[in-house]
Amino acid sequence: MGERNVFAVIVFLFAIMANQGHAQDAAPADTHHCHRKVFPVDTQYIERDVNRMMVEYFIDNRGYSFELKSSANNGNYLVRWTPNVAGVHGFRFSYRSLTIGVGFKLPLSEFNARNYGNTDYSNLTVAFNKPKIALLGSWRRYRGMVDLNSPDYMPPYAYYKQADLTAGSLTLKGSYIFSPERFSYKAAYIYTERQLRSAGSWLLSGAFNLSRLRGDSSMVPAPIRSNFGENGGLQEIQRLYLGMGGGYAHTFVYQHFQLSLLLNLGLALQPMRYYLMQSSRWQAANQISLYSDLGASFSYNRPQWYIALQGQVFNDGFRIDDNISGNTSQLWFSFKVGWRPLAPAFVRRGEDFFFHTLQKLNPFKNKKK
């Protein structure tokens, strides 16, 4: 899909939205057949329509990088691996509490792929959101990377590429919202609701991440491998990240414009192990570090459609030994166009069946005496 087709998709979505009009009648009553508790919210602050679903097209710019630093041999050497992913396009679908998103990478130009290599990319996200609880799970995989620090040791205009270097990540993030009556996490970052007045909430948050970076050979480029000492044969790193903390989120509202800011801080436990080729053995390292989560969203949010810009910064460092340290960072920006039509009957019936099945299987369900 080329750039013209991408813009054609966006124009098509805008045409659909325009046909929906800009006015909205009072939200219809819940048409679901299963009895369920509805969390009460202040309708002067939050607008919710349980009969609507969300369909979204997004364009992401994911700035993932993995750095290794060495002070061995009285030097200061840096490797900065990053995938060659100019942009990720995809779709998200949401109904009531469940959101599913799939992303894919567009083909690169011949010049880009020849100079910076080609990266295979896969991504799946699943979110579950209730007024008091926000959960986000994601799986992400990159295969094929380029060292952006290559100009320090390669000929001019040449970059060191490693097609077999693969990064995989499984992440689960959660937040507990202390003031869900007036602050909507869904309106701020999922866009299935609307925040009508400015409001905020304190948060209790946590993050779990299981990641692996592995190559068929050493992940330290051959021209500078000797500068990393006995760790020059580093082939694989496996890390577990457990973070816990708290913070605050706030949405500022002016007419249909929304600006949402989020900051969480805490501590993280990072057990890890790494494999050295020359000794053919695994070694372990553990540390405690700062847990931080910073997010922002700016949107124009109409009753039946929205346009949004969203960004998030995640950064965590680690240390292998006295000479080798590393850092994983993600600077993520996303452009989103979404539409909230009435959910078709088959979607509502399917959700009714799913919810009714969960009710039957719930061992903690209160029984009438």
Side-chain angles (χ1 to χ4, degrees):
M1 181 185 292
E3 292 297 327
R4 292 183 179 179
N5 292 334
V6 172
F7 288 117
V9 172
I10 297 176
V11 171
F12 175 72
L13 288 173
F14 272 108
I16 294 176
M17 295 171 190
N19 290 333
Q20 295 297 314
H22 297 285
Q24 183 189 42
D25 298 327
D30 190 344
T31 59
H32 296 77
H33 302 295
C34 293
H35 173 71
R36 63 194 73 185
K37 294 181 180 180
V38 178
F39 186 87
V41 298
D42 190 333
T43 55
Q44 294 183 1
Y45 283 80
I46 299 174
E47 179 184 87
R48 175 193 298 165
D49 188 345
V50 296
N51 295 316
R52 292 190 179 275
M53 60 183 296
M54 180 268 282
V55 180
E56 177 187 278
Y57 170 74
F58 63 82
I59 303 174
D60 285 357
N61 183 8
R62 298 187 178 274
Y64 171 87
S65 68
F66 181 89
E67 295 182 354
L68 279 176
K69 302 176 183 178
S70 172
S71 58
N73 302 327
N74 297 319
N76 186 17
Y77 308 98
L78 174 66
V79 178
R80 187 184 177 196
W81 291 114
T82 187
N84 188 14
V85 181
V88 174
H89 298 240
F91 295 92
R92 283 200 313 160
F93 305 91
S94 182
Y95 186 56
R96 293 185 74 101
S97 299
L98 184 65
T99 304
I100 298 176
V102 178
F104 54 91
K105 179 180 72 73
L106 295 185
L108 301 171
S109 67
E110 182 180 350
F111 173 83
N112 189 304
R114 182 174 63 252
N115 284 274
Y116 304 107
N118 199 5
T119 298
D120 295 329
Y121 175 79
S122 303
N123 172 233
L124 174 67
T125 60
V126 178
F128 182 80
N129 292 276
K130 289 290 188 180
K132 290 185 177 182
I133 298 175
L135 297 175
L136 173 64
S138 67
W139 173 79
R140 196 167 290 123
R141 179 181 180 272
Y142 303 94
R143 180 175 175 84
M145 299 200 185
V146 57
D147 179 16
L148 294 184
N149 218 43
S150 299
D152 286 353
Y153 58 86
M154 294 285 287
Y157 309 108
Y159 283 86
Y160 190 91
K161 300 175 285 291
Q162 192 161 335
D164 57 83
L165 192 59
T166 304
S169 173
L170 177 65
T171 302
L172 177 63
K173 298 172 61 177
S175 294
Y176 180 85
I177 297 109
F178 284 93
S179 303
E181 300 85 1
R182 294 190 173 187
F183 172 78
S184 171
Y185 190 94
K186 288 184 178 182
Y189 298 103
I190 309 297
Y191 312 111
T192 54
E193 297 178 351
R194 289 207 310 151
Q195 188 83 36
L196 303 180
R197 291 186 178 183
S198 300
S201 175
W202 292 101
L203 307 174
L204 179 65
S205 64
F208 164 88
N209 176 265
L210 186 63
S211 63
R212 184 180 78 164
L213 182 68
R214 185 184 188 280
D216 293 343
S217 59
S218 173
M219 65 180 67
V220 180
I224 59 172
R225 194 165 296 168
S226 60
N227 298 324
F228 279 71
E230 62 180 12
N231 293 308
L234 187 63
Q235 182 181 10
E236 182 173 349
I237 296 178
Q238 298 178 359
R239 301 174 59 210
L240 175 64
Y241 182 95
L242 296 170
M244 179 65 70
Y248 187 77
H250 197 96
T251 297
F252 301 90
V253 178
Y254 175 73
Q255 296 183 357
H256 296 289
F257 292 96
Q258 294 182 184
L259 174 63
S260 301
L261 302 174
L262 177 149
L263 175 64
N264 287 311
L265 294 174
L267 294 177
L269 175 65
Q270 296 189 64
M272 62 173 290
R273 65 176 193 157
Y274 55 97
Y275 186 79
L276 298 175
M277 295 178 58
Q278 65 270 33
S279 59
S280 300
R281 60 187 175 92
W282 289 94
Q283 295 191 28
N286 302 300
Q287 71 177 47
I288 296 177
S289 61
L290 175 68
Y291 162 64
S292 64
D293 186 14
L294 175 64
S297 170
F298 179 72
S299 63
Y300 183 76
N301 202 347
R302 301 290 300 195
Q304 297 176 2
W305 60 273
Y306 62 88
I307 303 173
L309 291 173
Q310 190 172 336
Q312 189 172 23
V313 178
F314 179 79
N315 186 83
D316 68 284
F318 61 91
R319 178 167 290 278
I320 292 178
D321 58 25
D322 293 338
N323 295 320
I324 307 296
S325 62
N327 183 71
T328 300
S329 63
Q330 294 189 53
L331 181 60
W332 166 63
F333 292 99
S334 182
F335 170 74
K336 303 172 181 289
V337 179
W339 176 41
R340 288 187 289 262
L342 288 173
F346 75 91
V347 174
R348 298 198 302 272
R349 290 170 184 166
E351 199 270 346
D352 279 338
F353 174 79
F354 177 74
F355 184 84
H356 186 62
T357 302
L358 290 181
Q359 284 183 321
K360 287 184 176 181
L361 298 176
N362 185 5
F364 303 103
K365 182 181 178 181
N366 294 326
K367 295 182 180 180
K368 295 181 179 181
K369 296 183 179 180

